[in-house]
Amino acid sequence: MSEKKQQVSRRQFLNYTLTGVGGFMAAGMLAPMVRFAIDPVLQASSGGDMHAVVDVSEITTEPQRFDWTIEQVDAWYTSDVTHSAWVYKDDNDEIVALSPTCKHLGCAVNWAGDPDHPDQFFCPCHEGRYYKDGVNVPNTPPNAALDLFEFEVREGTLYLGNAIERGGDN
Amino acid sequence: MKWQTKNLALYFQSQEYVDTLCIPLIPIELKNELEAIKLADQQKSLQLISDELERNFTGRIFLSPSYTYIKESDFDAESKRLNQWTSSLSQNKFQHIFFLTYDVNWKKYENNLEGSLIWLTANSIDDYQSDQTKNWIKSQINQISELIRSYW
């Protein structure tokens, strides 16, 4: 009997084939949709652009200013924009990277810029002052602490990302 | 602050803090190729310096768009026009007015100008990304900052 010898019947063979082809088609449609759905998650994990700024060995407990240039594209106009950060190691040997932008009107602050306050950041425009940790000194023009940069250390080099705003302190 | 939409909104909110006006003076001409190239190069470098200066003192300096003039013009007439231009722009709101330039011709007319002339010696820049250029610009900025702060 030839029918008994057949391991796969015609009906089964068609079933398998259709399931297989159908499966491929469904996967082809679903895969891009899943990728679209989880795209925001993948984006967030990359955490913005980080830029190599300085060798970690150069960082001391005294704040130093480091500049770096990034290419910024505004519509069709590309320009080089310079950013700066005040970087130092605090008492726990942790790196602190402060944005130099004064929270008052956006001037660049300097470490020890005011001879009367050698252990504070000083804004030359309207005499705003900040403590070493970036918190604003009360009764000076700024009303918030200096922004902190996102940072990471890879192979001995400090990379800085976006400046993150902290809340006001008074 | 700069002549930009975002900055202007902030400027009108906080006018009382912005008391310094900086105006770059840019000469142009198209008669001679080498001269034109030199002037274009100087314009770029002066723009870099003014932008950097503005970045350091955003909250107190208003950087005006450049005052542009023909290189071989009569500086007597040009300084009158510049004064007129400056006073209409500043409307007595700025206590300190600084002109930034590489053009030595202004030096003779300095006393006619209603503002302080900051004349810088030009330096031709080949590579804007080199460390040497960055250091040169940084030292220029430091010296100009010191001068401006002595007026404040």
Side-chain angles (χ1 to χ4, degrees), chain A residues 5-6 8-9 17 24 42 47 57-59 61 65 68 85 137 158 163 165-167 170:
Chain A
K5 276 183 200 160
Q6 278 179 340
V8 181
S9 74
T17 323
F24 270 118
L42 294 178
S57 59
E58 286 187 44
I59 302 173
T61 51
R65 179 173 160 162
W68 69 101
V137 176
L158 177 72
E165 216 165 298
R166 294 188 272 182
N170 56 346

Side-chain angles (χ1 to χ4, degrees), chain A residues 65 67 69 80 82-84 104-108 122 124-126, chain B residues 1 10 14 17 52 55-60 129 134 138 149 152:
Chain A
R65 179 173 160 162
D67 294 341
T69 306
D80 288 328
T82 306
H83 290 266
S84 314
H104 177 224
L105 284 171
C107 298
F122 176 70
C125 290
H126 306 104
Chain B
M1 287 171 213
L10 183 65
S14 37
Y17 291 109
E52 189 61 19
R55 194 168 76 91
N56 282 329
F57 298 107
T58 309
R60 191 152 177 190
Q129 290 304 326
K134 283 177 186 164
K138 221 182 251 177
R149 286 178 62 184
W152 284 350

Side-chain angles (χ1 to χ4, degrees), chain A residues 74-97:
Chain A
D74 293 322
W76 55 85
Y77 181 70
T78 309
S79 55
D80 288 328
V81 184
T82 306
H83 290 266
S84 314
W86 285 98
V87 185
Y88 67 92
K89 275 184 185 156
D90 68 10
D91 299 338
N92 306 323
D93 222 31
E94 300 266 336
I95 292 172
V96 179

Side-chain angles (χ1 to χ4, degrees), chain A residues 20-168:
Chain A
V21 172
F24 270 118
M25 284 166 71
M29 276 159 64
L30 282 173
M33 286 161 76
V34 170
R35 180 66 182 77
F36 292 152
I38 64 167
D39 187 59
V41 182
L42 294 178
Q43 285 290 322
S45 68
S46 70
D49 289 342
M50 304 294 273
H51 298 274
V53 173
V54 68
D55 215 58
V56 173
S57 59
E58 286 187 44
I59 302 173
T60 58
T61 51
E62 187 76 2
Q64 296 178 83
R65 179 173 160 162
F66 297 106
D67 294 341
W68 69 101
T69 306
I70 60 170
E71 203 172 73
Q72 181 173 303
V73 183
D74 293 322
W76 55 85
Y77 181 70
T78 309
S79 55
D80 288 328
V81 184
T82 306
H83 290 266
S84 314
W86 285 98
V87 185
Y88 67 92
K89 275 184 185 156
D90 68 10
D91 299 338
N92 306 323
D93 222 31
E94 300 266 336
I95 292 172
V96 179
L98 289 165
S99 157
T101 309
C102 179
K103 300 302 279 184
H104 177 224
L105 284 171
C107 298
V109 302
N110 294 308
W111 174 248
D114 180 5
D116 295 337
H117 300 93
D119 53 352
Q120 292 180 357
F121 289 100
F122 176 70
C123 175
C125 290
H126 306 104
E127 305 186 344
R129 299 202 308 271
Y130 302 86
Y131 298 114
K132 191 174 179 180
D133 60 0
V135 174
N136 51 309
V137 176
N139 303 321
T140 65
N143 55 13
L146 293 173
D147 293 346
L148 278 168
F149 279 105
E150 294 176 318
F151 71 89
E152 64 188 46
V153 175
R154 263 183 269 152
E155 289 161 17
T157 305
L158 177 72
Y159 287 75
L160 295 182
N162 298 322
I164 306 293
E165 216 165 298
R166 294 188 272 182

Side-chain angles (χ1 to χ4, degrees), chain B residues 83-112:
Chain B
N83 280 337
Q84 218 173 23
W85 197 83
T86 311
S87 68
S88 325
L89 182 66
S90 85
Q91 294 179 305
N92 295 325
K93 282 180 191 160
F94 295 97
Q95 285 171 32
H96 309 284
I97 294 171
F98 293 99
F99 302 109
L100 294 166
T101 190
Y102 282 144
D103 186 350
V104 71
N105 291 313
W106 289 106
K107 195 72 191 148
K108 268 192 271 175
Y109 294 86
E110 194 175 7
N111 295 332
N112 299 358

Side-chain angles (χ1 to χ4, degrees), chain B residues 3-37:
Chain B
W3 185 251
Q4 281 176 357
T5 26
K6 259 192 238 160
N7 284 187
L8 285 168
L10 183 65
Y11 167 71
F12 280 102
Q13 269 171 35
S14 37
Q15 278 184 41
E16 73 268 28
Y17 291 109
V18 186
D19 65 354
T20 306
L21 180 64
C22 278
I23 306 172
L25 307 178
I26 302 288
I28 54 169
E29 75 140 302
L30 270 179
K31 272 190 203 161
N32 177 323
E33 186 183 339
L34 287 178
E35 186 68 12
I37 289 173

